[in-house]
């Protein structure tokens, strides 16, 4: 074999290997030569129905998870060695595919650039770190690793997504549509997960800047956040008040028109308590994946915090919405675990908790969150419906209320669960959905 034929054979083998990574149905790539303001992008090439899986992808590169965080820190001899070892372990095809990812052809950060000038042999490894920082995803098949997915990496972010990204235990990722889409629409998903869309604009943007190193300019962030709504303090009024003239101005009820100064005793207490509750919610969120936490105390803390947020901030405050999402997730997890005594969540506590917090979450999502974000946030409700329908008895009224408020189609058409649980969810929803008259 001559060198040319050997190289051709290798290229064919690499192409065959790369083709096995992706199963796409109805996706087109953005124009590489004329990228949009946020990146190259993925687009629909045909009409897509809500809940349809339009992309399934295997990773092309798996590397130590620590690499995904190195790009946010100054380079050091130790981190460069770790990166260099990982880069040397890549196959020729994997090194070639790195050029496909956002970040490879950009200038290195100043701390990385300085290190590369002093250690030229480390530059390709430092670019690998940058690619991992900007594009890597959790690799569920091996939690100690992060992975790169070429097509998924092309999709842009939105705080009001049109698609959701989920993963199989084998490490594959898949996109599914959160709404019906026409041909030519862009596939947009939340880079930091579904619950992240509950945060206010300021927090979303600061987190994206810290983790993904870019300033978010999605349509939701380009617009102003909806005005904060607090319960009217007039006796007997069920309305909500907004500030009439911006920060520091009086609060005016949208139902009864009662005005309350921003420095009234009630508002002074609220302004003092609000940052404390924000800190407590953020602290508990940060403990979610901590294996050393006390699960029983963790669930109890979320229940107490959600009640405090409601009492102090009212049912339409974004901090209360975040607390509701996590308390339902925590109750579901506690009830689903074998050996329920570990978490103290029996059928009665789970049912009462879902009745109190799950329905409140749906009420919050209906009035405070745009459609795409709302649908990706329904996952804990779907999990609760399955648990109530399969592990509990005589709780039909709670399931029926959840299905009615969430929407039958939203629950059964979105494939956020594995095949077994999707079937369970469909059967429970069909049994308890309101009957057409």
């Amino acid at each position: 074999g001559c060198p040319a034929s050997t190289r051709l054979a290798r290229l064919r083998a690499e192409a065959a290997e790369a083709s096995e990574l992706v199963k796409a149905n109805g996706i087109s790539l953005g124009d590489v030569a004329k990228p949009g303001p946020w990146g190259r992008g993925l687009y629909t090439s045909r009409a897509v129905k809500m809940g349809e899986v339009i992309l399934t992808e295997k990773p092309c590169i798996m590397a130590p998870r620590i690499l995904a965080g190195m790009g946010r820190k100054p380079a050091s001899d130790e981190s460069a060695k770790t990166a260099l070892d990982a880069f040397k372990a890549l196959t020729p095809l994997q090194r070639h595919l790195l050029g496909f990812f956002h970040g490879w052809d950009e200038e290195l950060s100043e701390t990385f650039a300085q290190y590369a000038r002093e250690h030229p042999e480390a530059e390709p490894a430092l670019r690998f770190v940058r690619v991992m920082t900007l594009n890597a995803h959790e690799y569920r098949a091996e939690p100690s690793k992060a992975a790169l997915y070429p097509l998924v990496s092309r999709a842009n972010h939105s705080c009001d997504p049109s698609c959701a990204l989920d993963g199989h235990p084998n490490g594959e990722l898949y996109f599914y549509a959160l709404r019906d889409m026409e041909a030519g629409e862009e596939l947009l998903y939340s880079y930091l997960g579904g619950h992240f869309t509950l945060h206010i604009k300021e927090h979303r943007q600061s987190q994206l800047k810290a983790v993904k190193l870019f300033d978010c300019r999605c349509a939701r962030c380009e617009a102003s956040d909806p005005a904060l709504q607090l319960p009217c303090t007039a006796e007997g009024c069920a309305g909500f008040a907004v500030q009439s003239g911006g920060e520091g101005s009086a609060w005016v009820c949208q139902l009864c028109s009662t005005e309350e100064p921003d420095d009234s005793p009630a508002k002074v207490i609220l302004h003092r308590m609000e940052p404390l509750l924000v800190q407590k919610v953020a602290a508990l969120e940060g403990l979610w994946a901590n294996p050393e936490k006390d699960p029983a105390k963790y669930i109890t803390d979320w229940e107490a915090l959600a009640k405090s947020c409601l009492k102090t901030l009212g049912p339409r405050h974004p901090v209360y919405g975040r607390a509701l999402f996590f308390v339902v997730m925590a109750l579901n997890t506690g009830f689903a675990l074998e050996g329920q005594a570990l978490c103290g969540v029996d059928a009665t506590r789970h049912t009462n908790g879902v009745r109190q917090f799950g329905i409140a979450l749906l009420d919050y999502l209906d009035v405070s969150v745009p459609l795409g974000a709302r649908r990706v946030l329904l996952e804990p409700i779907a999990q609760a419906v399955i648990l109530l329908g399969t592990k509990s008895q005589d709780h039909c009224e709670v399931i029926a209320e959840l299905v009615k408020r969430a929407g039958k189609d939203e629950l059964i058409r979105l494939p956020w669960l594995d095949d077994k649980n999707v079937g369970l969810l469909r059967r429970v929803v069909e049994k308890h959905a309101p009957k057409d008259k």
Side-chain angles (χ1 to χ4, degrees), residues 38-260:
W38 303 283
R40 294 170 292 185
L42 292 178
Y43 298 82
T44 56
S45 60
R46 59 174 178 80
V48 173
K49 293 294 185 181
M50 182 179 76
E52 188 175 349
V53 175
I54 46 184
L55 170 66
T56 301
E57 186 169 20
K58 298 176 182 177
C60 68
I61 296 173
M62 290 80 73
R65 191 170 181 174
I66 190 174
L67 264 65
M70 283 184 180
R72 296 184 286 275
K73 303 174 184 177
S76 66
D77 289 346
E78 182 181 358
S79 63
K81 183 182 183 306
T82 301
L84 199 54
D85 289 344
F87 183 76
K88 289 178 178 177
L90 300 179
T91 67
L93 173 61
Q94 289 174 325
R95 294 187 188 189
H96 177 73
L97 288 173
L98 279 176
F100 188 87
F101 290 91
H102 176 60
W104 179 259
D105 55 354
E106 293 187 346
E107 291 185 7
L108 294 171
S109 64
E110 182 52 38
T111 56
F112 273 30
Q114 177 63 33
Y115 192 92
R117 285 192 290 269
E118 298 170 357
H119 306 82
E121 76 284 356
E123 181 174 348
L126 296 178
R127 292 191 179 278
F128 179 31
V129 167
R130 182 174 178 82
V131 168
M132 291 290 291
T133 300
L134 296 174
N135 300 280
H137 292 266
E138 175 187 2
Y139 185 50
R140 293 179 63 182
E142 294 183 55
S144 64
K145 293 184 177 181
L148 293 173
Y149 300 78
L151 275 186
V152 167
S153 75
R154 294 183 68 111
N156 286 315
H157 165 84
S158 175
C159 296
D160 183 24
S162 60
C163 293
L165 183 69
D166 211 336
H168 293 293
N170 65 3
E172 290 182 344
L173 294 183
Y174 61 94
F175 268 128
Y176 61 88
L178 291 169
R179 57 174 173 80
D180 292 349
M181 302 176 69
E182 299 296 328
E185 288 196 55
E186 187 170 9
L187 307 181
L188 301 167
Y189 77 106
S190 170
Y191 281 0
L192 298 180
H195 72 87
F196 168 78
T197 60
L198 282 167
H199 290 241
I200 62 173
K201 174 180 174 179
E202 177 185 356
H203 293 167
R204 297 195 309 268
Q205 291 187 319
S206 64
Q207 187 73 357
L208 284 165
K209 184 67 172 180
V211 176
K212 293 297 184 179
L213 311 180
F214 76 96
D215 297 307
C216 184
R217 302 197 306 275
C218 74
R220 186 179 176 192
C221 282
E222 289 289 88
S224 299
D225 273 340
L228 180 62
Q229 299 184 46
L230 299 177
C232 178
T233 55
E235 186 175 354
C237 181
F240 289 86
V242 298
Q243 285 187 298
S244 56
E247 186 175 354
S249 63
W251 294 81
V252 180
C253 179
Q254 297 173 297
L255 183 62
C256 72
S257 300
T258 295
E259 291 192 19
E260 181 183 8

